[in-house]
């Protein structure tokens, strides 16, 4: 089977990293291609190593030349001659839905909602994808949460099939270090990720947690970013920065290296998350997770004290301080539980096989038609 994946960009993000993970875990019987609407990005090396062929259409992020995008994708489809097309993220879904092709198409949903911080055009495109969803043979949610069901219903998404939750390459051995006193947040700088709530909570908890620190890792999360500067001033974070108890470390293409140095991963998202890859990776490394109760993120928590109400700095502060007060043995037990869960539930090869089965079903149905 020849599978052509389509995504919007090649920068580090959950959907893009999932594609690299799936390609590395896929059956060698198939040939996998990838079309990226934009140019090479920070994840290109990983994607090019995972797929047999990667094609960049080289449109700038600001491009509104939809007809040209559609034509370029049509040429890429003809060139690769796939049996099935799998699109990811709404911009790629929109272009894929408009392409003139007889090849069956499958869309994968990586979010279950929007907020005021999301661009208006993304919301318009999502509604357009819902209207065009009859052109997809299947729409695969990456969450089985009620929020995802409601979101797809509001978009009037058709041909929705059984959800396929994300997976990860679980390392051979865990890397959790019980002596670590570092919380880490790994997420891009976007309102959906709830950085302001996390930072407010951490600033309140820090005096009760001597020796602990918070690393904030992600795109556009450096000390010179205007939005970061705004949060530093508004929340009076400079003393924490000066003491080394807080750092803004920018993007990483190797989150596993960051996780290996961490006592816990903190997910502070306000909405929209389905089953974030970084939470799966943390579990694989045996790193416990403190998370807001969004999408399927509650699956990452083995102790309900570390499941937090979205947008609630007091709840997050209590979770951080409670975790910091645990003994090394108690954190080690949480690490073992997380690792066992990853081995049991998150294997990327099993997830890739579920996608492959779905694609084969679509291809077989198209052949019979």
């Amino acid at each position: 089977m020849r599978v052509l994946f389509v995504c919007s960009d090649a920068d580090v993000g959950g959907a893009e990293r999932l594609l690299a993970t799936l390609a590395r875990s896929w059956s060698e019987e198939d040939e996998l291609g990838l079309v990226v609407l934009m140019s090479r990005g920070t994840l290109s090396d990983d994607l090019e190593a995972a797929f047999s062929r990667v094609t960049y259409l080289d449109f700038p992020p600001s491009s509104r030349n939809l007809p040209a995008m559609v034509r370029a994708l049509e040429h890429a489809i003809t060139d690769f001659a796939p049996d099935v097309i799998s699109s990811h993220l709404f911009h790629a879904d929109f272009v894929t839905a408009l392409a003139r092709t007889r090849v069956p198409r499958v869309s994968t949903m990586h979010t279950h909602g929007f907020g005021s911080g999301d661009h208006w055009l993304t919301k318009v495109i999502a509604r357009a994808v819902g209207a065009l969803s009859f052109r997809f043979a299947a729409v695969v949610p990456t969450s089985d949460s009620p929020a995802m069901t409601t979101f797809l219903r509001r978009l009037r998404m058709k041909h929705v099939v059984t959800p396929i939750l994300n997976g990860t390459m679980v390392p051979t051995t865990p890397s959790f270090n019980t002596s670590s006193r570092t919380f880490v947040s790994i997420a891009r700088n976007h309102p959906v990720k709830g950085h302001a709530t996390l930072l407010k909570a951490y600033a309140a908890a820090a005096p009760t947690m001597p020796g602990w620190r918070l690393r904030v890792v992600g795109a556009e999360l450096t000390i010179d970013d205007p939005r970061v500067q705004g949060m530093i001033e508004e929340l009076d974070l400079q003393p924490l920065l000066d003491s080394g108890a807080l750092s803004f470390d920018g993007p990483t293409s190797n989150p596993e290296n960051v996780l290996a140095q961490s006592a816990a991963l903190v997910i502070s998202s306000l909405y929209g998350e389905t089953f974030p890859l970084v939470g799966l990776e943390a579990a694989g490394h045996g790193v416990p997770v403190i998370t807001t109760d969004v999408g399927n993120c509650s699956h990452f928590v083995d102790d309900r004290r570390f499941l937090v109400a979205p947008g609630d700095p007091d709840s997050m502060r209590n979770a951080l301080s409670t975790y910091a007060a645990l003994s090394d043995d108690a954190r080690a037990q949480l690490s073992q539980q997380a690792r066992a869960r990853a081995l049991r539930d998150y294997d990327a090869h099993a997830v890739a096989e579920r996608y492959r089965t779905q694609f084969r079903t679509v291809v077989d149905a198209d052949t019979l038609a």
Side-chain angles (χ1 to χ4, degrees), residues 115-139:
S116 59
D118 291 292
H119 197 284
W120 66 269
L121 185 57
T122 299
K123 299 175 185 178
V124 171
I125 290 173
R127 289 195 290 270
V129 170
L132 292 169
S133 60
F134 66 93
R135 297 189 176 183
F136 291 99
V139 173

Side-chain angles (χ1 to χ4, degrees), residues 8-239:
S8 303
D9 61 60
D11 286 317
V12 174
E16 295 85 355
R17 292 177 57 236
L18 175 65
L19 290 179
T21 299
L22 289 176
R24 288 195 299 267
S25 309
W26 207 269
S27 169
E28 294 182 359
E29 297 177 18
D30 299 338
E31 184 167 357
L32 307 183
L34 173 66
V35 173
V36 180
L37 300 186
M38 299 179 194
S39 303
R40 292 187 89 256
T42 52
L43 200 65
S44 283
D45 288 347
D46 287 351
L47 292 169
E48 290 163 12
F51 284 87
S52 56
R53 186 195 307 182
V54 179
T55 301
Y56 300 96
L57 302 187
D58 290 330
F59 287 93
S62 59
S63 176
R64 300 291 186 267
N65 194 348
L66 184 59
M69 287 187 192
V70 172
R71 287 194 300 270
L73 178 58
E74 290 170 348
H75 288 311
I77 293 170
T78 300
D79 184 54
F80 189 78
D83 297 298
V84 62
I85 301 167
S86 172
S87 64
H88 296 256
L89 302 175
F90 284 119
H91 291 73
D93 289 335
F94 189 37
V95 177
T96 300
L98 291 173
R100 293 173 296 178
T101 178
R102 293 184 178 273
V103 179
R105 290 163 277 197
V106 177
S107 169
T108 298
M109 292 289 109
H110 294 277
T111 185
H112 70 241
F114 295 119
S116 59
D118 291 292
H119 197 284
W120 66 269
L121 185 57
T122 299
K123 299 175 185 178
V124 171
I125 290 173
R127 289 195 290 270
V129 170
L132 292 169
S133 60
F134 66 93
R135 297 189 176 183
F136 291 99
V139 173
V140 181
T142 56
S143 168
D144 57 7
S145 68
M148 175 64 86
T149 301
T150 299
F151 180 63
L152 295 179
R153 186 180 299 120
R154 286 175 177 168
L155 291 180
R156 299 184 178 181
M157 204 68 70
K158 298 175 178 61
H159 304 155
V160 178
V161 298
T162 302
I164 301 177
L165 304 189
N166 296 337
T168 188
M169 304 286 286
V170 180
T172 304
T173 57
S175 60
F176 181 66
N177 180 359
T178 56
S179 66
S180 174
R181 296 294 184 268
T182 300
F183 294 112
V184 64
S185 166
I186 307 177
R188 62 193 170 97
N189 190 355
H190 186 283
V192 68
K193 301 300 182 180
H195 286 108
T197 299
L198 170 60
L199 291 167
K200 183 176 182 179
Y202 178 70
T208 70
M209 305 184 299
W212 283 77
R213 63 189 294 253
L214 170 64
R215 291 186 65 191
V216 183
V217 176
E220 300 180 347
L221 282 165
T222 56
I223 201 73
D224 56 350
D225 183 274
R227 288 173 294 174
V228 171
Q229 291 177 353
M231 288 187 287
I232 291 171
E233 294 175 6
E234 179 181 351
L235 300 173
D236 192 23
L237 301 176
Q238 194 61 50

Side-chain angles (χ1 to χ4, degrees), residues 218-289:
E220 300 180 347
L221 282 165
T222 56
I223 201 73
D224 56 350
D225 183 274
R227 288 173 294 174
V228 171
Q229 291 177 353
M231 288 187 287
I232 291 171
E233 294 175 6
E234 179 181 351
L235 300 173
D236 192 23
L237 301 176
Q238 194 61 50
L240 292 173
L241 291 166
D242 293 341
S243 68
L246 173 65
S247 63
F248 292 92
D249 296 338
T252 178
S253 58
N254 295 296
E256 60 273 11
N257 293 339
V258 177
L259 290 168
Q261 305 167 26
S262 305
L265 170 72
V266 185
I267 299 173
S268 53
S269 299
L270 303 179
Y271 61 90
E273 296 283 10
T274 58
F275 203 34
L277 206 60
V278 69
L280 308 176
E281 292 169 329
H285 285 275
V287 176
V289 176

Side-chain angles (χ1 to χ4, degrees), residues 307-322:
L307 185 64
V308 176
D312 185 345
D314 290 335
S315 180
M316 179 63 76
R317 173 182 55 80
N318 288 337
L320 294 172
S321 59
T322 298

